[in-house]
Amino acid sequence: MKRRRVGRREHADPFMEELNPGDASEPEGRGTGGAVTDYDGDGMLDLILSHGESMAQPLSVFKGKQGLKNHWLRVIPRTKYGAFARGAKVVLYTKKSGAHLRIIDGGSGYLCEMEPVAHFGLGKDEASSLEVTWPDGKIFTRGIAEGEMNSVLEIAYPLEEDSVTKPTAIECGQGFSMNENGHCADTDECIQFPFVCPREKPICINTYGGYKCRPNRRCNRGFEPNEDGTACVGDENGAWR
């Protein structure tokens, strides 16, 4: 099994990079489905692969071994009837790395379905507040207490009087600030700090929870300057077997 990453370059052939799957390589296996989940509840995501179409074959379970001491948080939004709130948007604000976004989707992959849980691996960072938006527009915001780290939080569909609760102070984290509605909103550093970029990369581009600086090089639509400004490259990547 081979995997490659492909990218585009303006006025040039695409570039390809062969990837090494390492311990996940299964040269004799024919994968028919795969899903990522916290199989044993330790806060580390595990990879489960199914095999066989015409006959049964054992499952393959790959467990992560790195980052066992890192912080994590798992969030399960519920509908008003207690079901998994598919389509809900979960944003976790942290003290150092800004916002992390997850969508509770209706399933993904081929012959598999991911768990309807918003999983956040945070490294050494800590969560400060949480915002859940349901498909009907209902929003629930709350702070995250220190003792709630490394746990699973069940978020019930809010009643009218519970649309915003604050068991701890709401902290938006780096790159965000509280707006007039009491929600965390992105800070536009390019406007707030007009001279934040160095002379060699003078173009400031605001991003969600941060910003980036680009060289003053013009590229056609769909391309952007690379880090040193020597070429225009595509802003999208793909991978295949």
Side-chain angles (χ1 to χ4, degrees), residues 22 25 47 51 60 82 85 92 97 100 109 119 121 133 149 177 213-214 221:
S25 177
L47 173 63
H51 303 283
S60 295
L92 186 70
S97 55
H100 301 257
H119 179 97
T133 304
M149 291 297 299
S177 58
C213 299
R214 292 181 180 174
R221 184 175 181 180

Side-chain angles (χ1 to χ4, degrees), residues 3-227:
R3 295 191 64 83
R4 297 183 177 91
R5 179 187 294 124
V6 62
R8 298 182 299 150
R9 292 181 294 190
E10 189 177 34
H11 308 307
D13 293 333
F15 64 88
M16 290 187 292
E17 177 186 3
E18 188 162 319
L19 305 178
N20 181 8
D23 292 338
S25 177
E26 293 188 303
E28 303 299 329
R30 296 183 178 273
T32 55
V36 175
T37 183
D38 184 8
Y39 184 72
D40 50 8
D42 63 354
M44 293 284 292
L45 290 179
D46 309 306
L47 173 63
I48 301 177
L49 300 180
S50 62
H51 303 283
E53 290 185 347
S54 59
M55 60 181 296
Q57 291 182 346
L59 295 174
S60 295
V61 179
F62 297 92
K63 291 182 56 61
K65 297 180 180 180
Q66 298 180 349
L68 293 175
K69 296 183 179 180
N70 288 345
H71 295 156
W72 55 273
L73 193 69
R74 290 167 63 78
V75 181
I76 304 177
R78 298 287 185 176
T79 68
K80 64 178 65 177
Y81 305 106
F84 293 114
R86 301 189 187 278
K89 180 177 71 173
V90 182
V91 181
L92 186 70
Y93 297 93
T94 63
K95 296 181 178 180
K96 298 179 181 179
S97 55
H100 301 257
L101 170 66
R102 303 288 186 271
I103 302 295
I104 308 299
D105 61 26
S108 58
Y110 174 66
L111 296 180
C112 65
E113 183 177 344
M114 302 300 179
E115 59 178 357
V117 179
H119 179 97
F120 299 93
L122 301 176
K124 303 305 179 184
D125 203 355
E126 295 182 3
S128 57
S129 60
L130 172 72
E131 183 175 276
V132 179
T133 304
W134 278 260
D136 62 0
K138 184 79 72 173
I139 299 176
F140 178 85
T141 304
R142 57 162 289 185
I144 303 296
E146 183 177 351
E148 292 180 309
M149 291 297 299
N150 304 330
S151 66
V152 180
L153 298 181
E154 295 260 357
I155 306 298
Y157 185 85
L159 302 175
E160 290 297 330
E161 63 269 21
D162 296 332
S163 58
V164 176
T165 62
K166 297 182 180 180
T168 59
I170 299 296
E171 299 180 29
C172 295
Q174 182 177 347
F176 296 84
S177 58
M178 189 77 69
N179 63 16
E180 63 276 7
N181 297 321
H183 302 300
C184 295
D186 176 48
T187 299
D188 192 334
E189 290 85 358
C190 298
I191 295 179
Q192 188 171 356
F193 310 105
F195 303 105
V196 68
C197 289
R199 180 176 300 178
E200 61 272 16
K201 295 182 179 181
I203 307 301
C204 181
I205 306 297
N206 185 60
T207 61
Y208 189 64
Y211 68 95
K212 60 182 178 180
C213 299
R214 292 181 180 174
N216 190 15
R217 180 187 177 98
R218 294 183 180 274
C219 296
N220 290 332
R221 184 175 181 180
F223 296 87
E224 61 181 30
N226 59 6
E227 288 297 324

